[in-house]
Amino acid sequence: MMTANQVALAYLVASVLFILALKGLSSPTSARRGNVFGIIGMLIAVVTTALMVQSYGMIIIGIAAGGTIGAIIAKKIKMTQMPELVAAIHSLVGIAAVMIGFSALYNPQAYGISETNILPVANRIEMFIGVIVGAITFTGSVIAFGKLSGRISGAPVAFKGQHYLNLTLAIVMIGCGIWFAGAQHWVAFLIMTSIALLLGVLLIIPIGGADMPVVVSMLNSYSGWAAVGIGFTLGNNMLIIAGSLVGSSGAILSYIMCTAMNRSIINVMLGGFGTAGGTVAAGADGVQKTYKSCGAEDAAFLLSNSSSVIIVPGYGLAVARAQHALQEMAELLHQKGVKVRYAIHPVAGRMPGHMNVLLAEAEVPYDQVFEMDEINSDFAETDVALVIGANDIVNPAAKTDKTSPIYGMPILEVTRARTVLVNKRSMATGYAGVDNDLFYMDQTMMVFGDAKKVVEQIINAL
């Protein structure tokens, strides 16, 4: 057993390591070091907590079961499945907070919260906050998982009176929370938890596919605050500190992404409240549009005869696992004297930083990768913009069509380049379900096919 001072010191060291981990993760060049700090900090926190208990039987079983499942999933998971995996992990954090709340309410003596079955009022309030945030995180993350994995449509789901229903449910939930804080009644606890589970679904279903990366970040923040609430209930300082770091960093990231997308973070948090909710779909106007297409050899000719090329990667690149071939193609172009850079949209892919991680995996030099705000002005002086597997993030409708569900979202302005090459499997719409006028513009050439195969054919032609 550890003394109280030893526990406090160990938790302090773990907390400092968590802060250093966040600092490291703020840059691709220091991300690996940041991960190492985080792993060491979590190891210290887990070992310290384990040494505070007297019975290890169930703990060992839980760690063995969870560790085995986690190892199997980590070994089988593909890069393209990372976003839904993150959402699934958030759901586990949420349901853990709910289950701990139920357990602590059922037997507070086991947690050292109270010597009787009656909890102090402060603990009831903390439990109320932790449980409802955890419940919303759980069901919201399940819906996000479904949308990201394609099991649920990425289109917004809205119905008349939806926001008034959410408001009514929230008022009833808070009322039950006040009832629970005052009387510690199981009925109040069960009702508020059930409503929170329902609200998690209702808040996420009206959010469209284009905004899902923000939702993932927001749910990450929620999971942290759920941990904080339960940390206060259990009197565990490490849980409070770690949860605060996750909650605050996730909230800041969500705000940054909303700012970059010209979205209101309040709208996203309230399930798209106040958004226009456009419903434009591909071919909805019945007009037959024409486009130009070319082969990989033609694309190679255009690329090799350019002085500057900007590559815009999207989710299709991840699906095809074409990042290594793309890096090889870029290196060949560099050898021919072509200036090659990569443009990353804040919501490219299915989660924050998805494309950055993908390119880092292929060892693309960090100085060739630029964020949207850094590179948008350069498209006007670019010979070829090569769009690979991206759709909504280069769709001009975001700037021109007020009825579009992505209207107002800043885009990578590839239309300003002299020539635009777009690699896609087909003319299908993107995740937001919106037709893309870029595909039909005079300077655009479509290159159809699997991204990896097309890039490999371009490499052979080069």
Side-chain angles (χ1 to χ4, degrees):
M1 292 288 291
M2 299 178 69
T3 66
N5 287 339
Q6 290 173 330
V7 170
L9 179 61
Y11 278 169
L12 177 62
V13 172
S15 301
V16 172
L17 287 170
F18 289 154
I19 294 171
L20 292 175
L22 285 177
K23 174 64 176 176
L25 292 171
S26 65
S27 170
T29 56
S30 58
R32 284 191 174 92
R33 183 171 68 250
N35 272 318
V36 171
F37 284 141
I39 291 169
I40 296 173
M42 185 56 69
L43 181 62
I44 293 173
V46 170
V47 170
T48 301
T49 304
L51 292 175
M52 293 168 61
V53 301
Q54 298 179 359
S55 177
Y56 294 97
M58 293 302 294
I59 292 177
I60 292 173
I61 293 173
I63 291 176
T68 301
I69 295 171
I72 293 172
I73 292 175
K75 198 171 183 64
K76 295 175 64 176
I77 203 72
K78 298 178 182 177
M79 184 60 199
T80 52
Q81 297 172 313
M82 282 299 294
E84 53 257 46
L85 175 63
V86 171
I89 291 172
H90 292 162
S91 74
L92 295 178
V93 176
I95 195 63
V98 174
M99 294 177 72
I100 291 173
F102 268 85
S103 179
L105 179 60
Y106 177 75
N107 190 0
Q109 299 98 322
Y111 291 89
I113 302 173
S114 174
E115 295 181 356
T116 67
N117 286 330
I118 304 301
L119 291 168
V121 174
N123 287 98
R124 296 178 210 165
I125 296 172
E126 294 157 0
M127 185 180 292
F128 160 63
I129 295 172
V131 168
I132 64 167
V133 175
I136 291 172
T137 302
F138 171 62
T139 51
S141 297
V142 170
I143 298 300
F145 170 82
K147 289 197 172 200
L148 290 165
S149 62
R151 291 173 171 83
I152 300 175
S153 172
V157 178
F159 53 86
K160 189 175 181 179
Q162 185 172 26
H163 300 305
Y164 292 108
L165 174 61
N166 290 349
L167 179 60
T168 302
L169 289 173
I171 292 173
V172 174
M173 179 182 69
I174 294 172
C176 288
I178 295 172
W179 177 17
F180 171 73
Q184 191 179 320
H185 205 294
W186 267 102
V187 173
F189 187 79
L190 292 172
I191 293 175
M192 75 181 193
T193 304
S194 301
I195 293 175
L197 291 169
L198 179 58
L199 275 175
V201 175
L202 295 175
L203 289 174
I204 302 302
I205 57 172
I207 300 177
D211 292 328
M212 285 310 295
V214 181
V215 172
V216 172
S217 176
M218 182 181 67
L219 290 170
N220 176 61
S221 178
Y222 286 177
S223 68
W225 300 126
V228 170
I230 295 302
F232 274 111
T233 299
L234 301 180
N236 188 297
N237 292 332
M238 186 72 263
L239 199 55
I240 295 170
I241 294 171
S244 298
L245 290 171
V246 172
S248 57
S249 60
I252 292 170
L253 177 59
S254 299
Y255 176 78
I256 291 172
M257 294 185 68
C258 283
T259 301
M261 294 172 61
N262 196 29
R263 292 289 196 256
S264 166
I265 190 169
I266 300 299
N267 287 354
V268 176
M269 291 176 64
L270 297 180
F273 185 88
T275 56
T279 57
V280 177
D285 55 8
V287 177
Q288 184 67 35
K289 300 179 181 179
T290 59
Y291 58 86
K292 294 179 288 186
S293 63
C294 68
E297 294 79 10
D298 299 316
F301 177 81
L302 289 169
L303 291 168
S304 62
N305 285 278
S306 303
S307 60
S308 62
V309 171
I310 296 179
I311 300 172
V312 179
Y315 187 65
L317 177 74
V319 173
R321 296 197 58 79
Q323 62 269 30
H324 296 282
L326 186 63
Q327 197 276 338
E328 183 182 348
M329 184 200 76
E331 184 59 32
L332 283 175
L333 291 174
H334 274 297
Q335 294 173 9
K336 292 178 177 290
V338 181
K339 182 180 181 181
V340 179
R341 290 170 293 171
Y342 298 81
I344 307 297
H345 192 279
V347 296
R350 292 292 187 269
M351 68 177 183
H354 197 178
M355 292 300 105
N356 302 76
V357 173
L358 201 71
L359 297 178
E361 184 185 17
E363 298 184 353
V364 172
Y366 297 131
D367 59 2
Q368 295 178 14
V369 181
F370 295 85
E371 299 299 323
M372 177 180 67
D373 292 338
E374 299 176 303
I375 202 169
N376 246 352
S377 60
D378 293 353
F379 280 107
E381 300 175 357
T382 300
D383 294 320
V384 177
L386 175 60
V387 180
I388 299 187
N391 197 327
D392 299 323
I393 61 174
V394 293
N395 192 337
K399 299 181 68 176
T400 60
D401 187 356
K402 293 184 178 181
T403 65
S404 173
I406 63 171
Y407 180 73
M409 183 181 81
I411 58 170
L412 287 164
E413 298 177 0
V414 299
T415 55
R416 301 173 66 186
R418 295 180 181 88
T419 301
V420 182
L421 292 173
V422 180
N423 170 231
K424 280 175 55 68
R425 291 177 180 270
S426 68
M427 293 295 290
T429 61
Y431 197 49
V434 183
D435 199 15
N436 195 336
D437 289 338
L438 170 69
F439 302 158
Y440 313 104
M441 291 184 171
D442 291 338
Q443 77 267 41
T444 302
M445 301 285 285
M446 304 297 297
V447 188
F448 294 110
D450 175 82
K452 186 176 182 180
K453 292 181 180 178
V454 168
V455 173
E456 288 173 345
Q457 290 169 359
I458 292 175
I459 290 172
N460 291 333
L462 291 173

